[in-house]
Amino acid sequence: MVNCIGQRSDLDSKAIPENEAADGFAKAIATAFKEWGNPQAVVLMVVQPGERNMYDQYWLSTKLQEKYGIHVIRRTLAEVYKSAKLHEDNTFSIGKHTIAVVYYRAGYDPKDYPSEDEWSARTLMEKSNAIKCPSISYHLAGTKKIQQELAKPGVLERFVKKADDAEKLRRCFAGLWGFDNNEELQVIEDAIANPDDFVLKPQREGGGNNIYGENIKSKLEELKEGKTADSFDAYILMQRIFPPIHTTYFVRNGEPITQKSVSELGIFSTFVRKNNEVIVNEQVGYLLRTKASDTNEGGVATGFAVLDSVYLIED
């Protein structure tokens, strides 16, 4: 877009970092596929019924086919349940296809498991020797509860051996609290008194689930009094982050509008290991989401935020 504007702008396209996440993802999956050792096998992409995020998924499938000659099949959890078979050697197949890699694009939301059939499909895949992306342990490591546990004193040091590195990482952490013991009672009272300084987060992904502002106060009071079906165990409390506000041009219904906004930068990385041998560990791109500054949620698929690009300037 910057190149299209040309001399009508002072912007330089060279200041926009390359963002080749799809290539990096394809390389990692292809590496795992090769390690599995059967060139006649396929990659299984587990998707949601009526999948709305199909376009980036097809982009990745195309790269795997064209660059690495790897065929990708798409199935929902319900379809896996109906047609998958686990063999005595712990391989599993769907119809004529032997599965080398399972790439989960579904299975992160309770709604993805409406019956025992979907849970049975997940169990079958986890029992198999196919390479999973993510592994079940890495899937759990992405939950809010594990993030909160990592913020406890001394826990991060179990996984990051250099004290200086652990300290650098810890400086990036916001305050995170669980509700496991009486030490958290004061934090609960602080959140009830100052709800705008906190975010109450359930063990969910994808946007639209977090609790903000006065709703935190009412939810915590309900939990304290036992007036709700869920419990404190279902949530963590996080210090709210207030990023810098800037002005952005948004296009709404074909018209450009200016709006105060905030942005969130995420770094894509890939990791492949075989037992204790690390085969791939790379940074492969980024995701920049921008949303109106007065909006609490930030999901792109849920309509709260838009995809954006980084533009580097000298400070």
Side-chain angles (χ1 to χ4, degrees), residues 107-246:
Y108 302 94
D109 191 300
K111 294 178 182 177
D112 291 336
Y113 303 92
S115 73
E116 286 300 316
D117 293 353
E118 286 78 13
W119 285 113
S120 296
R122 181 69 186 261
T123 302
L124 182 149
M125 291 185 287
E126 295 300 333
K127 285 183 174 179
S128 78
N129 63 8
I131 298 169
K132 268 73 73 172
C133 176
S135 66
I136 191 67
S137 56
Y138 198 75
H139 184 168
L140 293 172
T143 62
K144 304 295 189 294
K145 184 61 182 176
I146 298 299
Q147 294 168 21
Q148 177 257 316
E149 288 292 323
L150 285 170
K152 288 183 175 180
V155 176
L156 187 63
E157 286 73 10
R158 290 174 53 195
F159 307 99
V160 181
K161 300 305 180 183
K162 294 183 179 179
D164 289 347
D165 289 344
E167 179 57 29
K168 289 176 183 176
L169 288 169
R170 198 176 293 283
R171 287 202 295 267
C172 298
F173 288 4
L176 292 159
W177 301 273
F179 303 104
D180 303 326
N181 52 58
N182 292 333
E183 295 176 7
E184 315 294 350
L185 292 178
Q186 184 56 52
V187 178
I188 295 172
E189 297 304 321
D190 290 344
I192 291 174
N194 304 285
D196 290 334
D197 293 337
F198 296 88
V199 182
L200 188 62
K201 294 188 170 186
Q203 309 301 320
R204 301 284 296 281
E205 295 294 337
N209 300 301
N210 296 336
I211 301 173
Y212 299 88
E214 288 300 313
N215 291 330
I216 291 179
K217 179 180 178 180
S218 59
K219 186 65 177 180
L220 289 176
E221 289 175 339
E222 288 176 3
L223 289 168
K224 283 178 62 179
E225 297 170 9
K227 294 182 178 180
T228 179
D230 49 9
S231 66
F232 278 114
D233 293 340
Y235 299 90
I236 67 160
L237 195 62
M238 176 179 153
Q239 170 193 0
R240 187 164 184 178
I241 299 170
F242 295 95
I245 296 175
H246 52 90

Side-chain angles (χ1 to χ4, degrees), residues 55-70:
Y55 296 106
D56 68 292
Q57 296 172 7
Y58 277 119
W59 193 12
L60 178 58
S61 298
T62 299
K63 287 181 179 293
L64 285 168
Q65 180 69 61
E66 294 181 350
K67 190 170 183 179
Y68 300 99
I70 297 172

Side-chain angles (χ1 to χ4, degrees), residues 70-81:
I70 297 172
H71 184 57
V72 179
I73 63 172
R74 298 163 57 86
R75 298 291 189 274
T76 65
L77 285 167
E79 289 170 337
V80 171
Y81 173 76

Side-chain angles (χ1 to χ4, degrees), residues 245-289:
I245 296 175
H246 52 90
T247 300
T248 300
Y249 286 96
F250 290 88
V251 177
R252 301 292 189 192
N253 299 320
E255 296 294 329
I257 60 171
T258 57
Q259 200 167 1
K260 296 296 183 181
S261 63
V262 294
S263 297
E264 178 183 282
L265 178 66
I267 304 300
F268 286 127
S269 61
T270 56
F271 181 86
V272 181
R273 69 173 175 85
K274 183 176 183 180
N275 298 321
N276 291 325
E277 178 190 0
V278 176
I279 299 170
V280 176
N281 187 6
E282 298 177 344
Q283 178 274 123
V284 298
Y286 68 88
L287 176 71
L288 185 67
R289 300 186 297 185

